[in-house]
Amino acid sequence: MTYILQTHHLTKTFQGKEVISNVNMRVKKGEIYGFLGPNGAGKTTVMRMLMNLIKPTSGEINMFGQRVTNQSYELLKRIGCIIEYPVFYDKLTAKENLDLHCEYMGYYDKKAIDEALDLVNLHNVDDKAVKDFSLGMKQRLGIARAIITKPELLILDEPINGLDPVGIKELRNLFQLLSKEYGITLLISSHILGEIELMADTVGVISEGRLVEEVSMESIRNKNTNYIEIRTNDSKKAALVLENSLNISNYKIIDPSMIRIYETEVSQHEVSKSLILQDVSIHSINVKNHSLEDYFLTLINGGGKIA
Amino acid sequence: MLNLIRLEMKKHKMVAYVKAAFIANIMMIVLACILPIIDSIEGDSYFVDYKTMLIAIDTMVRGTFIVFSGVLIARLIIDEYKNKTMHLLFMYPIKRHKIMLAKLILISSFTFIAIVISNFIVSAAFYGINSFAHFITDTITMKIIVEQAVKVLFTALFSAGLGLIPLYFGMMKKSVSTTIVTSVLLVGVVGSDINGFSLFNVIAIPVTLAAIGFMIAYMSFKNIEKVDVN
């Protein structure tokens, strides 16, 4: 497996306070890596370190197989990014901004400017200064700027901030297109789980400066099966019934009045029928979905406890 | 480096500053003509020869463009830090110190060139107008011109250096107004002329200040590769 980006024990201290602790991140080539964490967890700080804006206190960063140092300027040619929020030369127009960007990047294919504006669906902005743009438009322009030079790695910090639902969907499709058609690796941060869930291949969860989990979406999906939750007056007796008459062994007694069945084959109807026949009273019976959200919330809260 | 300077000129619309410099020149020409008139109304006989006039013109020009230099520092450096466009620049595959250097070279060469050219324009215009308006009756000699030319080259060079001093004060709080106020104060200190005596004429002072200015400029990018940009 080739990793386009790796961090080893990445740590950053600001004024004696450790804001990023021992982060080991691995981003595979070609994937969409969702960088998930609540506000203030350290997503932006990590991204700034990746872009060489701030320097790690300890640990190291490897990109494209090279170690990043103070002098790693050439690497930046291969990356497109938005950190925090997109900044522009406000008084210039969108095209002038993109034009400047290309010049600074040493990229001279001027056709790319229109293509990029097309891709993010930003039209009729020719004579407008960027200061008159809405946040959503700036966000789109920021993405256009990030992708204009066809980078190998895109680092996008909260790219869907300030966009309406239609815009969010458009961009999600764009990110997927960039990943699949252009083979660009994307590192996208967000505090909105739903978004990450919809597009990421791998998720890195950061909480209070620590990477508490890095896992492929596929494996999370497999982990999170449905279960039947039964409230009863006697869960021990209920458990016996489940084992003896339904041959279910994959269950868990949560407390004396609650039991959860993780067997996917068995139907709610069968369970209730058997329990009633054995005279176990049922207060309620529900099929529950242990959602991704629960999973991440547990992780983030758990991470908080460690810190 | 030239390309970086060109890009700085492009994005900060330097043409506007060149235009502003020309407008300032016109105003200085007017002022230069008014000086001997006021002088004669008040019955003084100070601005009566070319030597004094050229010194006055040089002082005006220097003062104007030291403040210009402050404005440019505010625009090209302080504002860029404040608006975080500096972050953008530092994410380009270009060494940070080159980006800073391009800005500093642009600022101090603008100051230098503007002072030299404006001295020439304002003095020449004054000479032209005086030849038929007769504000002063002195005749200009080659000696005066050569002496003044040499002097202007040096003052321009010193001003280009000391014009960078506001960078230090402006950067402390990333404040545009501090930057410009510092440059105005600088002009007040080194540009004021009391009966022909100016601090600028004590050669050690402009030389020291210019050295400090260039030093500040150097310090501004010395460690820039290693520091965090917040």
Side-chain angles (χ1 to χ4, degrees):
Chain A
M1 183 59 67
T2 38
Y3 294 108
I4 200 161
L5 165 66
Q6 273 180 292
T7 68
H8 301 286
H9 307 291
L10 193 64
T11 300
K12 179 72 193 175
T13 312
F14 281 126
Q15 289 154 354
K17 193 168 175 278
E18 206 167 81
V19 287
I20 299 296
S21 316
N22 219 355
V23 167
N24 295 301
M25 241 172 122
R26 286 177 308 174
V27 181
K28 286 177 212 140
K29 199 172 183 314
E31 74 174 347
I32 299 183
Y33 186 103
F35 197 26
L36 186 71
N39 292 327
K43 302 185 291 287
T44 303
T45 309
V46 169
M47 286 180 153
R48 283 176 160 192
M49 280 195 273
L50 298 180
M51 286 313 287
N52 224 347
L53 275 179
I54 59 175
K55 315 293 177 182
T57 310
S58 64
E60 64 175 75
I61 300 169
N62 279 290
M63 272 195 210
F64 310 108
Q66 292 172 47
R67 190 180 164 189
V68 176
T69 68
N70 282 341
Q71 301 295 325
S72 302
Y73 289 97
E74 279 306 304
L75 293 179
L76 298 173
K77 259 188 190 162
R78 301 161 73 176
I79 309 171
C81 78
I82 303 180
I83 303 281
E84 236 177 333
Y85 52 88
V87 281
F88 301 96
Y89 290 99
D90 278 6
K91 288 175 191 152
L92 306 181
T93 66
K95 278 195 181 166
E96 283 171 327
N97 266 291
L98 295 182
D99 190 51
L100 269 176
H101 176 78
C102 289
E103 297 232 29
Y104 274 113
M105 291 293 278
Y107 190 84
Y108 297 101
D109 181 9
K110 291 290 153 86
K111 277 188 304 201
I113 293 179
D114 288 319
E115 284 170 23
L117 285 173
D118 261 355
L119 273 174
V120 296
N121 230 336
L122 200 58
H123 299 295
N124 304 323
V125 289
D126 289 356
D127 305 315
K128 212 170 168 183
V130 174
K131 65 172 187 293
D132 299 326
F133 279 26
S134 69
L135 179 58
M137 286 163 83
K138 282 189 187 171
Q139 205 66 264
R140 281 168 197 259
L141 184 58
I143 291 164
R145 183 172 61 192
I147 61 179
I148 196 164
T149 56
K150 315 248 163 27
E152 292 162 61
L153 173 64
L154 256 184
I155 297 179
L156 303 174
D157 193 5
E158 309 264 358
I160 54 163
N161 265 4
L163 290 172
D164 53 40
V166 180
I168 291 177
K169 186 156 187 273
E170 263 175 41
L171 282 189
R172 191 192 309 137
N173 293 340
L174 173 65
F175 296 152
Q176 272 155 354
L177 175 90
L178 290 172
S179 163
K180 296 208 170 63
E181 302 280 317
Y182 295 80
I184 297 175
T185 311
L186 288 94
L187 170 62
I188 300 176
S189 81
S190 181
H191 59 275
I192 302 163
L193 171 67
E195 266 319 302
I196 294 292
E197 192 184 335
L198 282 171
M199 55 192 172
D201 300 309
T202 302
V203 182
V205 183
I206 186 167
S207 172
E208 301 195 14
R210 288 160 202 274
L211 194 72
V212 288
E213 178 83 293
E214 185 175 78
V215 64
S216 78
M217 276 309 284
E218 208 178 277
S219 74
I220 305 177
R221 285 199 189 97
N222 292 339
K223 246 189 235 178
N224 289 280
T225 45
N226 298 343
Y227 59 88
I228 300 172
E229 187 176 277
I230 305 157
R231 285 188 173 278
T232 164
N233 55 350
D234 185 352
S235 49
K236 274 194 184 146
K237 194 173 170 195
L240 276 173
V241 176
L242 293 178
E243 273 192 41
N244 296 337
S245 47
L246 292 166
N247 280 330
I248 295 172
S249 54
N250 193 3
Y251 64 86
K252 194 172 175 188
I253 298 171
I254 306 293
D255 60 42
S257 64
M258 196 200 285
I259 191 164
R260 282 180 187 166
I261 304 166
Y262 296 97
E263 203 96 21
T264 44
E265 313 286 291
V266 65
S267 81
Q268 205 177 332
H269 172 72
E270 267 179 282
V271 174
S272 54
K273 195 173 141 194
S274 315
L275 287 176
I276 289 165
L277 281 176
Q278 300 295 324
D279 205 22
V280 180
S281 68
I282 301 170
H283 299 317
S284 71
I285 179 163
N286 290 308
V287 177
K288 291 226 169 167
N289 190 352
H290 186 79
S291 71
L292 280 176
E293 200 168 341
D294 294 336
Y295 178 74
F296 285 113
L297 282 177
T298 326
L299 269 180
I300 288 165
N301 293 334
K305 273 178 209 139
I306 299 166
Chain B
M1 184 53 78
L2 279 177
N3 195 32
L4 286 178
I5 296 174
R6 184 182 64 81
L7 288 174
E8 289 292 337
M9 289 173 67
K10 191 169 155 189
K11 75 183 170 200
H12 290 289
K13 307 219 159 123
M14 284 303 280
V15 184
Y17 293 93
V18 175
K19 276 187 199 155
F22 271 106
I23 293 169
N25 268 323
I26 292 168
M27 288 163 68
M28 285 188 284
I29 293 169
V30 173
L31 198 60
C33 295
I34 291 174
L35 281 177
I37 297 175
I38 294 175
D39 212 34
S40 66
I41 291 172
E42 292 188 342
D44 286 345
S45 50
Y46 185 62
F47 296 108
V48 287
D49 54 11
Y50 271 111
K51 208 171 167 219
T52 325
M53 275 316 296
L54 291 179
I55 289 174
I57 289 171
D58 183 35
T59 308
M60 275 194 299
V61 168
R62 206 196 308 141
T64 307
F65 289 105
I66 288 174
V67 175
F68 251 75
S69 169
V71 173
L72 286 176
I73 291 171
R75 266 290 134 71
L76 268 66
I77 300 174
I78 312 288
D79 254 0
E80 288 229 35
Y81 269 109
K82 243 174 101 179
N83 301 336
K84 296 201 167 179
T85 43
M86 207 61 138
H87 290 40
L88 194 67
L89 292 178
F90 287 166
M91 287 190 284
Y92 287 130
I94 301 161
K95 291 193 169 110
R96 290 182 188 176
H97 75 260
K98 280 193 176 171
I99 289 172
M100 268 311 257
L101 201 57
K103 288 173 181 289
L104 293 163
I105 290 176
L106 178 59
I107 295 166
S108 47
S109 35
F110 182 90
T111 314
F112 179 83
I113 294 168
I115 289 177
V116 172
I117 293 180
S118 301
N119 254 300
F120 176 75
I121 292 178
V122 179
S123 305
F126 179 78
Y127 176 77
I129 296 169
N130 189 56
S131 64
F132 56 83
H134 304 296
F135 301 122
I136 57 173
T137 48
D138 192 21
T139 47
I140 198 152
T141 62
M142 204 55 200
K143 189 169 166 266
I144 295 176
I145 294 175
V146 172
E147 268 178 20
Q148 184 65 15
V150 173
K151 208 181 137 207
V152 163
L153 282 179
F154 277 102
T155 47
L157 185 66
F158 297 148
S159 306
L162 72 87
L164 295 172
I165 291 177
L167 175 63
Y168 176 78
F169 296 96
M171 280 297 277
M172 285 201 298
K173 280 191 172 170
K174 308 265 188 313
S175 156
V176 168
S177 45
T178 310
T179 315
I180 295 171
V181 167
T182 315
S183 61
V184 173
L185 285 177
L186 263 179
V187 173
V189 173
V190 300
S192 55
D193 191 314
I194 304 155
N195 289 331
F197 176 77
S198 154
L199 282 181
F200 210 84
N201 293 339
V202 183
I203 189 75
I205 292 175
V207 170
T208 314
L209 289 176
I212 292 174
F214 285 125
M215 201 59 195
I216 286 170
Y218 172 69
M219 296 302 276
S220 74
F221 63 80
K222 196 184 93 173
N223 272 326
I224 203 164
E225 314 289 345
K226 293 179 201 130
V227 297
D228 292 347
V229 193
N230 286 310

